[in-house]
Each structure stands twice: as structure tokens, then as C-alpha cells.
Amino acid sequence: MSIKVLLDESEIPRQWYNLAADIKLQPPLGPDGKPLTPESLAAVFPMNLIEQEMSTDRWIDIPEEILDILYRWRPSPLRRAVYLERALKTPAKIFYKDESVSPAGSHKPNTAVAQAWYNKQFGTKVLTTETGAGQWGSALSFACSLLGLECKVFMVRISFDQKPFRKVMMETWGGKCYASPSTETEIGSKFLEKYPDTPGSLGIAISEAVEAAVSDKQGTTKYTLGSVLNHVMLHQTIIGLEAKKQLAKLGIKKPDVIIGCVGGGSNFAGISFPFIHDKINGEQIEIIPVEPASCPTITRGLFTYDFGDSAGMTPLLLMYTLGHNFIPEPIHAGGLRYHGMAPLVSQAAREGLVTPRSIHQLECYKAAIQWARTEGGIVAPETSHAIAATIQEALKAKEEGKEKVILMNLSGHGHMDLLGYSRYLAGDLKDYELPQEDIEKAEAELKDLPKPA
Amino acid sequence: MSIKVLLDESEIPRQWYNLAADIKLQPPLGPDGKPLTPESLAAVFPMNLIEQEMSTDRWIDIPEEILDILYRWRPSPLRRAVYLERALKTPAKIFYKDESVSPAGSHKPNTAVAQAWYNKQFGTKVLTTETGAGQWGSALSFACSLLGLECKVFMVRISFDQKPFRKVMMETWGGKCYASPSTETEIGSKFLEKYPDTPGSLGIAISEAVEAAVSDKQGTTKYTLGSVLNHVMLHQTIIGLEAKKQLAKLGIKKPDVIIGCVGGGSNFAGISFPFIHDKINGEQIEIIPVEPASCPTITRGLFTYDFGDSAGMTPLLLMYTLGHNFIPEPIHAGGLRYHGMAPLVSQAAREGLVTPRSIHQLECYKAAIQWARTEGGIVAPETSHAIAATIQEALKAKEEGKEKVILMNLSGHGHMDLLGYSRYLAGDLKDYELPQEDIEKAEAELKDLPKPA
């Protein structure tokens, strides 16, 4: 029995799939409430990526030079979790794409490399970004290192202090990592003056990274984002496109169930969007984005226009949101602690193409431990949400006596996240149910923003 | 151009290669100075592994059940370091076996799984071991978890305190990890009473692990070792045997140069022994074990009988040694801080089949950073020694204008070792040249022990 399907480099997908060709998005809005023009984004992003962000072409060629970089770890393996299947005594066949094999340890480099490459083509010399847990900052540092770009990462101070090794990773790849708020920017300096002991926030870090980009008078510094935006989703679809080829090698035309965890939405988009295309064309597939019960953006949030950041500096995006002032509980899956959701994932959920699910933290850690003791690897706390849902589905298949094919995305390893495992094993973690009043608060907060057509 | 050669599971080697069939070892000696009998080891190891330890059969079948476990990550990829080649502008072709892909992140699980399996066959219920940096303790916990054995790891206290996440890894796989000296054993308790603030040592940890095994009156607790012994080298040869098949797929009959780092010798044995077999049969291959200049066991040590541990509790092994009282400088490559060397590696060096080299710490970190910024991955500090030698050889090939084939073993990733990178990047690390008087001290210390025939 084959438990691993590998593709040769020559079999790598040569085009990304753009879901915006198949479902209709309402446009992002500027501060004036009018649809955003490409030009209004030009201070922040290079024009080639802005075009990609707004494209409705179904297939977009992947430049050869990007493939040449991705070959370091792509095509990634598709593995079958036979050891977990045996432990669960399920008739389901569980396949997973292993994105933990990238040098930075997650799916993030798929878009970091593409964004760095397009920026380099455009003449960018320096890339800025924010990072929470550090996955994205590491991935961008890695990509910039390979392409000879300078990289500046603003890392939320509390994470910076708690995860000093993420900074070391970034520095190993030549990136610069600042605890945010920092003295590198005006916004940061002012904030520090006022609140010298602040733990920082993703909102402030975004503001600093954007300021660092737009304040460069030569225009060769640009800002990058690791999730949420259309072009980020696009770059991740290589995951699902590879998976499709790999399943085909086993004679499997399509999975019955697809599972990925969602924070901003990018790894889920990567594994699922190429199959949403098939679903729109009549295939029967259940596609499940899994989010933390303590940050239930799609399962309990509002579908409306909201800002991408806490400070309200970004354009307004139509998406599922808990409100841009929402402060999620400090669960260990930092990558899933985001108030919003990618507009493409949100729209797919709105149209019933995907069926979101939320799971509590303790069930996720329990699943991750079972995974480690059967399959072997120690996964990221974010990924543990996908594993918990996979176990739910495998047990459901057992109950129903159905030999379902489940496809899961293993978005990253947990080597930098062992503190969470430690606290779980010590019994120090608790589940947290979001009170209904938090949703009502979000409604009140969002009521004066524009509404979708 | 292909930069990755993968084997299907069906192509995995089905026998290990035993170098003891092709070079003659002098036997280990008991406390009485007489050759050790199998029975004298029976309290510590199961008889099936003792037989393997003493076997001179050239090929030993790998049980199907062990392969079924190894399939989780084996066959491991053979990759070509084209990005490093380009950076060095070398005509050399650099191939590397990527052993960092195992769940525990190094080559160690290759033998951990085999040892756990043979122990289980024998009826063992509990395995004990010591660990320094934590690589071996993690690998054994992982293997025991899959086979349903209990695992007790005695971790040198200073490492236990400095690397708390290694303990979490072991616990995630269900292993128990004790700071050594511990109150779990008599030896440990006595030591703690006398020196309550001791940082511990590998010598004490070995003593505790052995005591924990032999003091089990039911005989179902056994001790395991992660390097040095013949059966450990044997289990690692799957690395080189896979590499040989992978090179053959590219039409490469043999590499010109083979490189691996050496501490106890096991990852080097893994990549090189199958090729030493070819060298004995007439092939021209330069085979280079690389050790830290601060712990130069083969390049400057004595070839004589010595104890494997500091306390003098183990049998006497004929090997290169710096003396069992040697305390290596605290370089970050903890896995290479060992006073002795596997008898098989030592004998191969003695016969000129391998040509050892030592490299200083700063050159190794510099090489590791260059690797991260070209190939992408962040390697273990141990592995950085192999990379430094590979760069030396690639530059030599450039000077000579020769298109040499270099084969290197990438023994593990450095995700748990970022403190060393941090200190290197901050300029806090120094090189250390071992003074000649330390070698003279070892000579004096060893002069009353038996001498080789």
C-alpha cells in the first residue's frame, strides 16, 4: 500500500487557479466608500501584484523563476495517514498535503516567494510586514534572502518577547525584526511615548509596516501581507493543484471531504479553491474550513464590510468579521486569532460552497497528541484544528460505514510552538466560549460602515 | 535539471549493511580485561540486539514491521544543493541526504525504531536512556510511542534547564524525561545529596539509565544507546544504501567525496559505510568524517581501549578517544561533544579508509548561514560541520576545475538549536583550540588500561 505520493519537479502545476473568476466578489472600498482604484494602492503594493489582486482571469501563469525557487521543497508530498486510520479503525482514507516541509515550516513561503519575486521585478528593494506568532515574518525573511531584498518585520512585542527564536530564524535569513511598537516609525514612537509598557498589537504592527513602506520617498519600499488578500489566496492554490494531480495518480478523481484550518484563510484557500472550482461545476465535495471556537469568524461573525486592521487604516473588505476591535482570547494558535476572513473564503461560505465549523482548543490539542503518537509529526497549534475536524469526519465515516476520501492540509509543524503543548500536557489550558454580547458589540461597531449591495 | 531524487516505498533497502563483515574489530573487554561475552550484556540489552552487536554477517534483513514504521518518512529525499553550487560557482555537484525530515528531526529515529522494535520482540516493556542535547531522547520517545513501550529519559540537568522544549517533545510522544541527576535512581539520589546544585553530566545520566534498567528485577526494562555501538551504526546504513540507489537513478556510479559530521559516529556511519564497502573493493572515494576542532577525537585523540562513559561503568572499547575524563568545551553542537568514537568508525580511520578533518565553530556557523540563505533550511549545529567541509571541498573542486560529485549527510534540522545561531549572529561565540596538554593528560589517564593487540 502506498502511503506517500510524490510528484517530480516536471509535474509541478504551472498556473495558479483564481477563484475570483468563478465567484463574484464585491469590490473593496476606499475611505470615501467608493470602490478602490488600482492607483490608490500603488504607494503600498507594486502594480503587478495590484493587477493580480484585481484579476478575474481563471488561470495565471507561474513564472519559471518562481518555480525555480519553489523546487527547494515543492511539489510537497501527499501522504496517507494510515497509522491514524488504523488507530481510529475508520474505513475512511485520510490524505494530507504536508506543507510543513518548507524551510520556514509552513505554507507561508508559497506566497512569500511569489510576492518577493513580483516586487523584485517591479524594482522594490525593501519589503515590510507585520507578524504575530512569527510564521509569516519568517517566511518573508526567507523569501527576501533568496531574492536579495531587504526585509523589515514588525513583530507584536508580546510575541517578540515570548518567542525570541522566531526573531533568530528571521535573522538567520538576513531579515530585520523589530518589537512593535518600535522607534523605527512615527506611529510606533508616539505609541511608545504614550504607553512605554504596551504589549503591542497586530493593528499597531500593521500600521508601522505600512508607514515604513509609504514613507520611503524613493518608492522602493513596499508592504506585504501574508493572508486575506486575493493574490495571497491565488499563490497558495498550488497546494490543491498538486494534491489533485497526486490523488489522480492513485486513481482518485476527487476527495469526498476537504479540511483546512482558517485564520486569514490562506492555507485553506490553497488546499480547497481548485476543488471549489470542481464543486461549482457539479462535483459533490464537502469542504470544511475549521476555526477556533474562541474566534469563530465565519461560524458566528457578520458578513459585512470591515477594515482589515484594528486601526482602520486599510480599505474596507466585504467579509465575515467579528469587528475590527475584536480582541481574541490568547489561544496558542496565534495564526487563527484574526477578526476577519479572506473575502474569497467569506464569499464561498456565503454561497454555501464551504461549510465552516468551529472547534474548541482542548479537542484540538488532544487530536494533535493523537496525531504525534500515530503519524509521528508534531503539528502547529493552527494545524491541530484541521486534525481535530479530520478525526471527527473519519469517525463519522466509520459510523456511516463509508469509505470516504478525506483530504486535509497539514499547514505547518509545531517546533516553535511547544509552549502550547507544554501547557496542554500540564492541564493549564481551558476552552473559551465567546459570549453572545461580543457579537452584539461587533454589530454596533460596524453599523455605520457601508453595507454590501 | 533534477534537484531531488525520490524513492518509492517499494524501493527501500531491505537489508542493512554490516561493516564488521569487512573490517576486523578487536572485541570489547569486560572489567576483567577479557573479551566480553554476550551473556555479560544480557542485563542491559536484549539478546537479539546483542547478537546483532556481535554479528559479522555482511547483510542483515530489515524486518517488515520496522519498514512499516520507517515509511512515515523513509526513503528520505536525496537533494542536489544547486543553489549553494551556484553561490559558490563550483563545478562540483553537491548531493545531500535529508535526514531532517523524520518526525524527531534527525537520523536518530532510524535506530530508535529498530531498537524499540527488537526490544518489543524480546518482551521488553520499558526502555531507558540518557540524552544530552535531547535529540536522542526525542527519537527514542517517538519510537516507543509507536510501539507501545514506556520510555524513560535521563537528560543532563543543564540541558534540561536550557532546552525545556526538548522535554515537551518527549512528553508529546508520551516519554518521561528526568533532569539528571534525579531521585529516580540510587546513583542519582546520592549524587544530588552530595552536590544539590550540580549541572549533571552525560556520565551520570548514563549511570542512571543503566541503573534504571538493571535494577528492574522482572528484567523487562532495558537500556538503549543512540550511537557508538555496532548495531546502531548498522541501523543507520539505510541512509547510504538509499543514497546509492538514488545516485544510480541519476547514472552516478559513486560519489567522489562523502562527508558527514561525527560525534559518536552514527550519522556518518549511515551515509558512508555502504560506500566504504565499495572502497574496500577498489572504488576511489574520499570519505571525510568532520569533527569540531574543540573536540578532535579522531584527528588528535589516541587509538586505544577506553570506557564509553565518564564513570567507567561500560565495557572497554577500542576506539579513538580523548580520555573518558575529557570535558569538551561547551560548543553548541552538543551532539558532537563526546570523548570517544564508534569502534567501527575508529577502525576505518585507523586503516585509512576514511580521512578525518576537524573544523572550528565559527567557520561552521558561517557555513550554516550560507546554507540557510541559499538552500533555505536551518540545520543543526552538528550538521553545520558537514556543511563547512562540503563548502571546503566544493571550493577545492573549483580550484582544481573538477566536476566532482560530493555526497553529504544533512543529519538534522536546527529548529531546537536557535540559541546557538543567536549567539553566533550576536558575535558572542569564539573558537577554541584544544591545548596539547589535554592530549597528554588523556595519555596518562589511559596508560593503565589494556592496550590493543
Side-chain angles (χ1 to χ4, degrees):
Chain A
M1 175 179 50
S2 186
I3 62 166
K4 187 162 59 188
V5 187
L6 305 162
L7 295 179
D8 197 65
E9 285 132 37
S10 62
E11 298 171 286
I12 204 166
R14 306 192 96 77
Q15 295 184 308
W16 290 299
Y17 165 67
N18 184 10
L19 183 60
D22 289 312
I23 65 176
K24 201 176 150 40
L25 288 183
Q26 291 189 42
L29 307 179
D32 54 0
K34 288 188 185 152
L36 219 60
T37 60
E39 293 69 31
S40 64
L41 291 171
V44 180
F45 298 113
M47 198 48 76
N48 49 12
L49 282 177
I50 296 171
E51 279 162 19
Q52 223 169 54
E53 179 66 20
M54 299 193 164
S55 168
T56 54
D57 294 346
R58 184 167 291 114
W59 297 100
I60 295 179
D61 289 344
I62 309 178
E64 276 300 321
E65 293 93 333
I66 291 180
L67 291 175
D68 182 61
I69 295 174
L70 297 182
Y71 289 149
R72 281 176 176 80
W73 73 97
R74 302 211 74 86
S76 73
L78 179 81
R79 301 183 203 270
R80 184 162 162 204
V82 284
Y83 310 98
L84 178 64
E85 288 172 20
R86 288 180 206 162
L88 298 174
K89 297 188 175 64
T90 175
K93 291 179 181 163
I94 302 170
F95 292 93
Y96 64 100
K97 254 318 237 191
D98 189 356
E99 292 296 308
S100 77
V101 299
S102 82
S106 78
H107 64 293
K108 293 284 185 193
N110 295 330
T111 184
V113 163
Q115 291 190 51
W117 187 85
Y118 281 108
N119 266 289
K120 176 145 188 169
Q121 292 307 105
F122 187 74
T124 304
K125 306 277 185 218
V126 186
L127 285 180
T128 72
T129 201
E130 73 287 337
T131 199
Q135 278 281 16
W136 169 244
S138 305
L140 192 67
S141 298
F142 159 70
C144 285
S145 149
L146 302 183
L147 284 156
L149 297 176
E150 212 180 300
C151 181
K152 290 185 183 176
V153 180
F154 295 87
M155 185 169 184
V156 178
R157 163 149 298 174
I158 178 94
S159 297
F160 183 94
D161 292 341
Q162 283 176 352
K163 301 195 177 187
F165 292 142
R166 275 288 174 193
K167 175 177 181 255
V168 181
M169 268 188 125
M170 295 180 219
E171 288 175 346
T172 298
W173 285 309
K176 283 186 195 126
C177 177
Y178 309 101
S180 167
S182 76
T183 54
E184 290 293 306
T185 65
E186 271 187 40
I187 293 175
S189 302
K190 278 188 192 158
F191 218 92
L192 270 181
E193 219 169 275
K194 222 164 152 184
Y195 310 104
D197 298 325
T198 175
S201 77
L202 212 48
I204 302 167
I206 294 178
S207 307
E208 285 201 88
V210 172
E211 182 192 315
V214 299
S215 65
D216 171 15
K217 296 288 167 269
Q218 295 176 320
T220 56
T221 302
K222 297 290 172 196
Y223 168 74
T224 60
L225 202 67
S227 193
V228 180
L229 299 181
N230 297 350
H231 67 275
V232 180
M233 306 295 125
L234 178 79
H235 301 154
Q236 295 293 359
T237 59
I238 194 166
I239 301 171
L241 292 165
E242 284 179 6
K244 198 178 271 198
K245 286 191 177 196
Q246 287 163 314
L247 288 173
K249 287 203 172 195
L250 298 174
I252 297 171
K253 206 186 144 207
K254 55 121 199 159
D256 299 299
V257 183
I258 299 176
I259 294 167
C261 61
V262 278
S266 77
N267 97 76
F268 170 75
I271 191 88
S272 70
F273 280 8
F275 294 97
I276 292 186
H277 173 259
D278 300 346
K279 190 166 177 173
I280 290 170
N281 289 296
E283 288 284 12
Q284 286 260 342
I285 313 174
E286 191 178 357
I287 303 177
I288 308 171
V290 190
E291 57 187 15
S294 62
C295 187
T297 314
I298 327 183
T299 46
R300 295 179 60 197
L302 312 164
F303 183 73
T304 187
Y305 273 105
D306 195 4
F307 296 106
D309 67 326
S310 315
M313 290 179 64
T314 70
L316 286 161
L317 302 171
L318 178 56
M319 58 183 177
Y320 280 96
T321 175
L322 295 164
H324 55 275
N325 288 323
F326 178 74
I327 307 285
E329 278 296 284
I331 57 162
H332 280 283
L336 305 185
R337 295 177 68 236
Y338 182 62
H339 71 275
M341 182 55 60
L344 278 168
V345 173
S346 295
Q347 188 63 37
R350 191 71 179 171
E351 297 183 15
L353 291 164
V354 307
T355 45
R357 178 178 302 182
S358 77
I359 306 187
H360 277 292
Q361 175 164 255
L362 294 183
E363 181 177 345
C364 295
Y365 271 109
K366 190 180 164 205
I369 298 280
Q370 182 167 25
W371 182 270
R373 294 182 186 177
T374 51
E375 291 298 312
I378 296 176
V379 303
E382 290 81 3
T383 310
S384 74
H385 290 72
I387 290 174
T390 297
I391 292 175
Q392 289 179 351
E393 287 300 306
L395 293 176
K396 188 175 153 206
K398 181 178 169 182
E399 246 172 56
E400 300 172 343
K402 285 190 187 157
E403 216 183 86
K404 285 185 187 169
V405 172
I406 299 173
L407 173 64
M408 181 194 90
N409 198 32
L410 195 156
S411 55
H413 64 61
H415 302 165
M416 314 302 286
D417 309 284
L418 287 163
L419 187 61
Y421 279 86
S422 166
R423 295 198 58 207
Y424 171 75
L425 289 165
D428 287 348
L429 297 184
K430 280 189 300 202
D431 284 340
Y432 174 81
E433 186 75 31
L434 191 73
Q436 189 55 29
E437 63 196 61
D438 281 22
I439 309 291
E440 287 155 17
K441 229 191 291 177
E443 269 172 20
E445 169 193 316
L446 295 171
K447 75 172 172 3
D448 295 333
L449 291 178
K451 292 285 158 288
Chain B
M1 174 179 48
S2 188
I3 62 167
K4 186 160 61 189
V5 188
L6 304 162
L7 295 179
D8 196 67
E9 285 133 37
S10 62
E11 300 171 286
I12 204 167
R14 306 192 96 77
Q15 295 184 308
W16 291 300
Y17 166 67
N18 184 10
L19 183 61
D22 288 313
I23 65 177
K24 203 178 150 36
L25 287 183
Q26 290 188 42
L29 307 178
D32 53 1
K34 286 186 185 153
L36 217 61
T37 60
E39 294 69 30
S40 64
L41 291 172
V44 180
F45 298 113
M47 198 48 78
N48 49 12
L49 282 177
I50 295 171
E51 278 162 18
Q52 224 170 52
E53 179 66 20
M54 299 191 163
S55 168
T56 54
D57 294 346
R58 183 167 291 115
W59 297 100
I60 295 179
D61 289 344
I62 309 178
E64 276 301 320
E65 292 93 334
I66 290 181
L67 292 176
D68 182 60
I69 295 174
L70 297 182
Y71 289 149
R72 281 178 178 77
W73 72 97
R74 303 210 75 87
S76 73
L78 179 80
R79 300 183 204 270
R80 183 162 162 204
V82 284
Y83 310 97
L84 178 64
E85 288 173 19
R86 288 181 204 160
L88 298 174
K89 298 189 174 64
T90 176
K93 289 178 183 164
I94 303 171
F95 292 94
Y96 65 101
K97 246 331 229 186
D98 189 356
E99 292 296 308
S100 76
V101 299
S102 81
S106 78
H107 64 293
K108 292 283 185 193
N110 295 330
T111 184
V113 163
Q115 291 189 52
W117 187 85
Y118 281 108
N119 266 288
K120 175 142 189 170
Q121 292 307 106
F122 188 74
T124 304
K125 307 276 186 219
V126 186
L127 284 180
T128 73
T129 200
E130 73 287 337
T131 198
Q135 278 282 14
W136 170 242
S138 305
L140 191 68
S141 297
F142 159 70
C144 285
S145 149
L146 301 183
L147 284 155
L149 297 176
E150 211 181 301
C151 180
K152 290 185 183 176
V153 180
F154 294 88
M155 184 168 185
V156 178
R157 163 150 300 178
I158 177 95
S159 299
F160 183 93
D161 291 341
Q162 282 177 352
K163 301 194 177 189
F165 291 141
R166 276 287 175 195
K167 175 176 180 259
V168 182
M169 267 189 125
M170 295 180 221
E171 288 176 345
T172 297
W173 284 309
K176 284 187 196 126
C177 177
Y178 309 101
S180 166
S182 76
T183 54
E184 291 292 306
T185 65
E186 270 188 40
I187 293 175
S189 300
K190 276 188 193 158
F191 218 92
L192 270 182
E193 218 170 275
K194 221 165 153 185
Y195 310 103
D197 297 325
T198 175
S201 76
L202 212 48
I204 302 166
I206 293 178
S207 306
E208 286 201 86
V210 172
E211 183 192 316
V214 300
S215 64
D216 171 15
K217 295 290 166 267
Q218 296 176 318
T220 55
T221 301
K222 297 290 172 195
Y223 168 74
T224 61
L225 202 67
S227 192
V228 180
L229 299 181
N230 298 350
H231 67 276
V232 180
M233 306 295 125
L234 177 79
H235 301 154
Q236 294 293 0
T237 59
I238 194 165
I239 302 172
L241 292 164
E242 283 179 6
K244 197 179 270 196
K245 286 192 177 195
Q246 287 163 313
L247 288 172
K249 286 203 172 195
L250 298 173
I252 297 171
K253 207 186 142 206
K254 54 125 199 155
D256 299 298
V257 183
I258 298 176
I259 294 167
C261 62
V262 277
S266 76
N267 97 76
F268 170 76
I271 191 90
S272 70
F273 280 9
F275 294 97
I276 292 186
H277 173 258
D278 300 345
K279 190 165 178 174
I280 291 169
N281 289 297
E283 288 286 12
Q284 286 261 341
I285 312 174
E286 191 178 358
I287 302 176
I288 308 172
V290 190
E291 57 187 15
S294 62
C295 187
T297 315
I298 326 184
T299 47
R300 294 178 60 197
L302 311 164
F303 183 74
T304 187
Y305 273 106
D306 195 5
F307 295 107
D309 67 327
S310 314
M313 289 179 65
T314 71
L316 287 160
L317 301 171
L318 177 56
M319 60 182 177
Y320 281 96
T321 175
L322 295 164
H324 56 274
N325 289 324
F326 177 73
I327 307 285
E329 278 297 284
I331 58 162
H332 280 283
L336 306 183
R337 295 177 68 236
Y338 183 62
H339 71 275
M341 183 55 59
L344 277 168
V345 173
S346 296
Q347 187 64 35
R350 190 70 180 173
E351 296 183 16
L353 291 165
V354 307
T355 45
R357 178 178 302 180
S358 76
I359 306 187
H360 278 292
Q361 175 164 252
L362 294 183
E363 182 177 344
C364 294
Y365 270 110
K366 190 180 164 204
I369 297 280
Q370 182 166 26
W371 182 270
R373 293 183 187 177
T374 51
E375 291 299 312
I378 296 177
V379 302
E382 291 81 2
T383 310
S384 74
H385 290 72
I387 289 175
T390 297
I391 292 175
Q392 289 178 351
E393 288 301 306
L395 293 176
K396 189 175 152 203
K398 181 177 168 181
E399 246 172 55
E400 299 172 345
K402 284 187 188 159
E403 216 182 89
K404 286 184 188 170
V405 172
I406 300 173
L407 173 64
M408 181 193 91
N409 198 31
L410 195 156
S411 54
H413 65 60
H415 302 167
M416 313 302 287
D417 310 284
L418 287 163
L419 187 61
Y421 279 86
S422 166
R423 294 196 58 206
Y424 171 75
L425 289 165
D428 287 347
L429 296 184
K430 281 189 300 203
D431 284 340
Y432 174 81
E433 186 75 32
L434 191 73
Q436 190 54 31
E437 64 196 61
D438 280 22
I439 309 291
E440 287 154 18
K441 230 191 290 176
E443 267 171 21
E445 170 191 316
L446 297 171
K447 75 173 174 1
D448 295 333
L449 291 178
K451 291 285 159 287

